[in-house]
Amino acid sequence: MAEVAQKVITWQDYLAGEPKDLTCYEIVDGEVIPVAAPSIEHQWVVKTLLRLLDDSVTPNQLGVVLPAPVDVVVQQEPVRTRQPDLLFLRKERGGTPENIRQLKRLDLDMPPDLVVEIVSPSEEEARRLTEKLADYHRIGVFEIWLVHLEERAMEVLVRSEEGWRWHGFFFGKEKIRSPLLGETDFLVEQIFA
């Protein structure tokens, strides 16, 4: 893995299918960075939140929810991609099953409307999250949900021209109030059940 982590690729390499040997990675300024396998708790929360969000979004035909790994292109040269834990794309912006299923990645002309990241308490992860948030802001993501495993809480951030604006912290029997999706049909505690 160390050999792959040091490989620098161009946009043309990326379009040609690089990296071939990894599915969970991000590319930062051309450097392919493998992402460590997440914990089972992390994946359980992703699975549960995917189901809850999809059960809210799909029947109302609001758009499409997808889990990682899905490349979100931040820039072409040097290549920079992110793979959020979950993402949502509104129907009005092309978030239909017919459109999404044909894509290989989300390019700069179709960034996600909402990104969900499961937050790890480590210092290194906090630094990476700061970089990811800057990238998401740069490409026009409207809203971010940060899932705090230790606190069993959800934090919502909303894009403003200056940066991310804090919208709220939601716990237990509260529903998430999302500027993009309205109030959720599910309680925060259901995400961690």
Side-chain angles (χ1 to χ4, degrees):
M1 287 269 255
E3 208 172 288
V4 175
Q6 296 172 3
K7 182 174 183 171
V8 175
I9 65 172
T10 66
W11 180 246
Q12 292 307 315
D13 294 333
Y14 175 74
L15 292 177
E18 292 290 332
K20 289 181 176 35
D21 52 351
L22 291 174
T23 57
C24 293
Y25 62 88
E26 291 183 327
I27 304 171
V28 177
D29 298 335
E31 183 180 347
V32 179
I33 301 170
V35 176
S39 69
I40 291 174
E41 176 69 10
H42 177 285
Q43 291 302 90
W44 192 269
V45 168
V46 168
K47 174 192 77 92
T48 304
L49 188 52
L50 172 63
R51 181 182 49 79
L52 291 168
L53 256 180
D54 197 51
D55 286 351
S56 293
V57 166
T58 301
N60 297 314
Q61 298 182 349
L62 300 176
V64 174
V65 180
L66 294 171
V70 173
D71 280 354
V72 175
V73 176
V74 176
Q75 69 187 30
Q76 292 181 358
E77 292 295 342
V79 182
R80 186 179 281 252
T81 67
R82 296 295 180 182
Q83 291 186 350
D85 291 311
L86 292 171
L87 62 84
F88 167 73
L89 190 63
R90 290 181 300 140
K91 178 181 176 181
E92 298 81 19
R93 295 195 50 249
T96 64
E98 301 78 31
N99 289 344
I100 296 298
R101 292 174 72 180
Q102 296 177 31
L103 300 176
K104 292 184 179 183
R105 68 194 70 79
L106 291 184
D107 287 316
L108 293 168
D109 59 344
M110 188 183 274
D113 292 293
L114 178 127
V115 162
V116 178
E117 290 285 352
I118 312 299
V119 177
S120 169
S122 80
E123 208 171 288
E124 174 64 21
E125 285 301 310
R127 183 189 61 74
R128 284 187 64 232
L129 179 61
T130 300
E131 291 173 1
K132 282 183 169 188
L133 291 176
D135 284 344
Y136 294 146
H137 187 272
R138 193 166 121 207
I139 62 172
V141 172
F142 177 75
E143 187 171 328
I144 305 247
W145 291 8
L146 301 176
V147 180
H148 297 275
L149 293 178
E150 287 187 351
E151 294 87 355
R152 301 178 80 77
M154 178 75 74
E155 183 176 11
V156 175
L157 305 174
V158 179
R159 189 178 195 284
S160 72
E161 287 304 315
E162 300 78 41
W164 293 106
R165 183 175 47 80
W166 187 79
H167 180 72
F169 223 91
F170 305 96
F171 299 89
K173 297 197 181 300
E174 293 179 302
K175 293 181 176 184
I176 301 162
R177 290 183 305 283
S178 163
L180 187 64
L181 297 174
E183 189 173 80
T184 59
D185 297 334
F186 54 88
L187 306 175
V188 173
E189 68 184 11
Q190 290 177 267
I191 299 167
F192 304 98

